[in-house]
Amino acid sequence: MPNLPSAGGDRFVLVTEVGTRDGFQSEKEFIPTEVKAELINALIDAGVSSFEATSFVSPRAVPQLADASQVMDLIRRRPGVRLTALVPNARGAERAAAARVDMMASFISASETHCQANLNKSIDAAIADFNEFAPIAHKYGIALRGAVATAFGCPFEGEVSIDNVLKIIGAYMEKGARHISLGDTTGMATPPVVTRTVEAIRARFPEAIIALHFHNTRGIGLANVMNGLALGVREYESSFGGLGGCPFAPGATGNICTEDLVYLLHECGYETGIDLDKLAAVARRVQEVMGRDLPGQYMRSGPRLKLTSIDSVRRAVG
Ligand code: ZN
């Protein structure tokens, strides 16, 4: 088994960077393979220890991530750094294993309509695909992660059934995937929805290790994190600069921003092992690569005690 980071003390929060998968996936213009690897390597240097690095879906379905194997090759491995990749089926699992991923993530929507729209299959068919590739992960000694998309609401169906969420997690746990990630795919989570969902999962599956994946679509992504922390959740997924969402859909917003999240965690006394200055520098580099401003705010403002000289302000006004 690879050396996986685990939530050590109660003050340690594991931050999983999903920018190169969730963030880049919706970008139309191809981002060079070397740049993707460069960004991940820079984040490893900044102390980030968990990544959803890429996806082994069909290269035709997501051309942006067709270079998954090459990206994995260019990443400078370090003990304690977990490289996860999305895997849709047995074929993807074989490719992911050959690329030496540390963890394979399955992805199933709790909403039947979203599952059809996104994966082009039913929830049951997606579970069947997972059941087929899980033994491949076991064969290679690779850990499994089960992601539930639209876990807090579906843009087509509204509230999702908690029974669907529990059914999918049950299927994951049955095949040895204890790491469960709850995706707020279109930013419909609110603190009460998160509380009731996490509590229902814990009641049924107390051994599940829950991670929360929020999008900032309605501006309360970090409020949901605060609520998750109060619930004892110690793993969050976020994207550098807050990248994500379709750049061509007006008002669409991305994942919660990694630097803003880490800033909040450190200010609240949590440990992440991440150097915030280096992290912010990577986010500015991502802006440069994308050629546009990203929603992340810490990279612009800096630490709260970065003081401004009063003289410089007077001069600016005068
Ligand atoms: Zn997402």
Side-chain angles (χ1 to χ4, degrees):
M1 283 290 281
N3 183 10
L4 302 179
S6 62
D10 192 46
R11 303 307 286 177
F12 184 83
V13 173
L14 183 63
V15 174
T16 294
E17 173 62 51
V18 301
T20 53
R21 203 285 300 169
D22 202 344
F24 284 170
Q25 181 168 283
S26 49
E27 295 295 327
K28 296 285 173 281
E29 203 168 315
F30 187 76
I31 297 147
T33 306
E34 305 74 47
V35 173
K36 289 169 182 155
E38 168 212 314
L39 294 170
I40 293 175
N41 286 329
L43 289 171
I44 292 174
D45 285 342
V48 177
S49 59
S50 177
F51 293 84
E52 190 172 285
T54 186
S55 169
F56 287 88
V57 291
S58 149
R60 257 169 306 146
V62 187
Q64 181 64 260
L65 304 179
D67 58 358
S69 302
Q70 294 95 305
V71 170
M72 289 297 300
D73 262 355
L74 293 171
I75 297 172
R76 285 192 299 274
R77 308 293 184 111
R78 234 177 255 182
V81 173
R82 180 173 86 191
L83 301 174
T84 302
L86 226 63
V87 167
N89 50 32
R91 193 180 151 77
E94 289 291 352
R95 287 175 60 216
R100 297 187 302 119
V101 305
D102 299 310
M103 193 177 242
M104 295 187 193
S106 170
F107 187 91
I108 303 175
S109 276
S111 139
E112 197 64 69
T113 317
H114 185 266
C115 207
Q116 286 288 355
N118 197 52
L119 302 175
N120 206 16
K121 54 185 127 166
S122 66
I123 293 175
D124 284 340
I127 290 175
D129 280 344
F130 170 73
N131 285 338
E132 205 183 306
F133 87 67
I136 299 174
H138 294 314
K139 182 175 81 181
Y140 293 103
I142 296 171
L144 282 169
R145 178 180 198 80
V148 184
T150 64
F152 305 107
C154 164
F156 309 115
E157 294 185 9
E159 300 291 2
V160 296
S161 143
I162 190 70
D163 290 339
N164 279 6
V165 174
L166 295 173
K167 175 174 129 175
I168 296 166
I169 294 174
Y172 284 148
M173 303 283 288
E174 206 184 300
K175 290 282 184 287
R178 281 180 68 215
H179 292 267
I180 301 298
S181 162
L182 304 177
D184 184 23
T185 315
T186 58
M188 291 172 72
T190 64
V193 177
V194 173
T195 299
R196 69 170 188 248
T197 307
V198 168
E199 284 177 349
I201 294 168
R202 282 189 175 150
R204 181 79 68 86
F205 306 107
E207 65 281 30
I209 301 165
I210 296 175
L212 296 173
H213 174 121
F214 294 125
H215 281 243
N216 207 30
T217 320
R218 290 174 175 81
I220 60 169
L222 290 182
N224 286 326
V225 169
M226 286 303 285
N227 185 52
L229 291 166
L231 290 166
V233 176
R234 292 292 180 268
E235 194 174 336
Y236 296 88
E237 300 179 356
S238 58
S239 177
F240 39 36
L243 187 70
C246 177
F248 303 105
T253 51
N255 296 81
I256 56 166
C257 165
T258 308
E259 318 83 72
D260 296 0
L261 168 67
V262 170
Y263 171 65
L264 174 70
L265 292 170
H266 289 180
E267 289 297 318
C268 293
Y270 291 97
E271 292 155 23
T272 64
I274 296 170
D275 180 319
L276 190 47
D277 281 344
K278 287 186 181 171
L279 185 65
V282 177
R284 287 189 288 269
R285 170 78 179 124
V286 177
Q287 284 197 141
E288 212 176 278
V289 168
M290 307 314 298
R292 64 174 195 271
D293 281 349
L294 295 176
Q297 293 182 283
Y298 180 86
M299 68 171 142
R300 270 182 276 283
S301 312
R304 58 185 276 274
L305 292 178
K306 186 187 87 180
L307 304 182
T308 306
S309 148
I310 187 71
D311 291 337
S312 71
V313 174
R314 283 209 187 98
R315 264 200 300 279
V317 173

